[in-house]
Structure formats: C-alpha cells, structure tokens
C-alpha cells in the first residue's frame, strides 16, 4: 500500500478561510518535507520538518513522529495560495530518498 | 537560494530514439535525484547519486540510465524512448537528510 497518504485530495476555500492539510505515514519517519507546486510548475520547499512545529508567515507545519503524521496549516488563505501541496518522507536515515504523497489540490476563490 | 537548472525544458522525441535530460546545480550538494511526475502516481524516484561518479537505482529505474560526471551535473538517459516515458521529469539536489531543492522540470513527450 501507499506509504504516504494525503488528505483531503482537494479543497476549495473562500479567501480568508483557514486550511488544514494532513499527511499520514505507514512507515517510520526519518524526516519529512512539505512542498508547494503551481500548476505546471516546479516544487518549492515550504518546510523541512522532521519533528515538532515550524512557522513561516501564514503557514505552520506540525510533525508528530510517534503518531506518524504531519500537518500543514494555512491561515487567512489568499488566491495566490492556490496550487498543489505535497508532503514527502525520507526513507532510510540520511539517504535523501523521498516518497511523495499524491498531494492536496487547493483552490482559493476571491 | 539554491539553484537547480534543467535542460531542455520541453522535448518531443520519437519512439526508439535516445533522449538525454540534463541537470545542473550550483549548491555544491553531494546528492542529486531524478524524479518523474505522472497523474495518479505522484512523484517517483528514478535514479539518484551521492557524488561524482556514483549513481544508484531508485524505485522505477527500468528504461533509464543516469550519469554523474561532476558534482554539478547529473544526466538522465533514455536509450530507447517509449511512449510510456512521456512525463514531467524533475531533478533535485540536497545534502543527506535535509531539504531538497528542485529544478523547473522537463516536459518530455515521446511519440
């Protein structure tokens, strides 16, 4: 089965609303990363977050290793937040080999 | 800011032809990776390298070769391209268990 499950698969918000994206792992976690991808675009790293909580502007990432999950919270969403959010876990310590989830497609309407 | 570039950005190839995708990074990262992204499969690891002269097979290496002639450059080679290899290919660089930085992607169409 898939090692990385993301939910929801898609999400539609009105501008100003908050969003909570989830990433669950079926294997042990060495490290994980959240990425943002615009349609047809490359991946931009949002967080490298192997454990605990990290903040960056309106974004917050929380990883709980023993529960094998990570979340990405977007507060006060903006239309420019629209795109796909991907989480990826590292397999094996210090390998950098990432397994990606299928992503959450976020659309924020004005 | 980390810099990873890829060339070409778009490529149309014929079945049975040879295709080489190139990646360059200026971050002095030891590790480099090639992924492909397909609807329904997400991103999957094809080949990776831990330094110049080394290449390792990822999760879906069949039909692909890789070459790492220098710290900066990492190529993905399709000796006999097939339509099933039509995809978007991403190169990334990183250092062990830390952030990976991705290139802009190459859209490959094999007719």
């Amino acid at each position: 089965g898939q090692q990385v499950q993301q939910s929801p698969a898609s999400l539609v918000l009105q501008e100003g609303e908050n969003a909570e994206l989830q990433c669950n792992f079926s294997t042990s976690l060495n490290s994980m990363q959240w990425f943002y991808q615009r349609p047809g675009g490359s991946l931009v790293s949002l967080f490298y977050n192997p454990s605990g909580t990290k903040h960056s502007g309106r974004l917050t990432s929380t990883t709980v290793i023993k529960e094998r999950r990570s979340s990405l919270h977007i507060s006060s969403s903006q239309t420019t937040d629209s795109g796909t959010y991907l989480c990826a876990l590292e397999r094996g310590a210090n390998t950098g080999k990432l397994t990606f989830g299928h992503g959450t497609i976020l659309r924020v309407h004005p | 800011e980390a810099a990873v570039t890829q060339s070409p950005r778009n490529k149309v190839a014929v079945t049975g032809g040879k295709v080489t995708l190139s990646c360059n990074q200026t971050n002095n990262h030891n590790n480099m990776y090639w992924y492909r992204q397909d609807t329904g499969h997400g991103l999957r690891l094809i080949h990776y390298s831990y330094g110049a002269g080394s290449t390792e097979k990822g999760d879906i290496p069949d039909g692909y070769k890789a070459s790492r002639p220098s710290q900066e450059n990492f190529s993905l080679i399709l000796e006999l391209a097939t339509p099933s290899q039509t995809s978007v290919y991403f190169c990334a660089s990183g250092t062990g268990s830390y952030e990976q930085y991705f290139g802009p992607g190459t859209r490959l169409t094999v007719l």
Side-chain angles (χ1 to χ4, degrees):
Chain A
Q2 191 177 347
Q3 294 181 321
V4 182
Q5 298 277 0
Q6 286 192 246
S7 60
S10 62
L11 183 61
V12 179
L13 300 176
Q14 289 297 125
E15 197 166 31
E17 292 181 327
N18 299 332
E20 185 88 7
L21 282 55
Q22 298 290 341
C23 189
N24 292 283
F25 312 100
S26 60
T27 62
S28 59
L29 173 65
N30 290 292
S31 68
M32 64 82 55
Q33 209 168 340
W34 281 95
F35 295 91
Y36 167 73
Q37 185 176 30
R38 287 187 190 85
S42 184
L43 282 73
V44 176
S45 178
L46 298 175
F47 290 102
Y48 168 77
N49 186 13
S51 67
T53 298
K54 292 191 174 182
H55 303 276
S56 177
R58 295 181 292 104
L59 304 180
T60 300
S61 171
T62 300
T63 298
V64 183
I65 296 174
K66 62 182 179 179
E67 296 180 11
R68 297 186 177 180
R69 64 175 177 86
S70 182
S71 64
L72 179 67
H73 183 85
I74 304 172
S75 63
S76 304
S77 63
Q78 300 175 359
T79 56
T80 52
D81 294 331
S82 297
T84 300
Y85 292 81
L86 297 158
C87 67
L89 71 86
E90 182 191 20
R91 294 167 285 154
N94 208 35
T95 65
K97 293 167 61 177
L98 298 180
T99 297
F100 283 82
H102 285 183
T104 294
I105 300 172
L106 175 65
R107 291 188 176 85
V108 182
H109 294 309
Chain B
E1 180 74 21
V4 181
T5 57
Q6 295 181 229
S7 64
R9 294 293 313 278
N10 292 280
K11 173 75 176 178
V12 178
V14 296
T15 297
K18 182 177 181 178
V19 177
T20 300
L21 307 182
S22 300
C23 178
N24 178 274
Q25 56 105 354
T26 59
N27 312 312
N28 200 32
H29 287 159
N30 289 331
N31 301 353
M32 296 186 75
Y33 309 86
W34 276 106
Y35 297 89
R36 62 179 283 178
Q37 185 175 33
D38 304 285
T39 304
H41 289 283
L43 279 109
R44 293 176 291 173
L45 182 64
I46 306 170
H47 283 289
Y48 58 102
S49 169
Y50 290 141
S54 89
T55 60
E56 306 287 342
K57 293 180 179 179
D59 299 319
I60 53 165
D62 292 347
Y64 302 93
K65 292 183 179 179
S67 174
R68 182 86 181 271
S70 65
Q71 179 85 337
E72 297 79 19
N73 295 295
F74 190 36
S75 297
L76 186 67
I77 303 152
L78 291 66
E79 295 278 3
L80 295 169
T82 68
S84 64
Q85 294 176 312
T86 293
S87 185
V88 180
Y89 292 84
F90 289 99
C91 174
S93 75
T95 303
S97 295
Y98 298 101
E99 282 186 273
Q100 286 190 21
Y101 298 91
F102 280 72
T106 294
R107 186 172 297 275
L108 173 66
T109 302
V110 182
L111 302 175

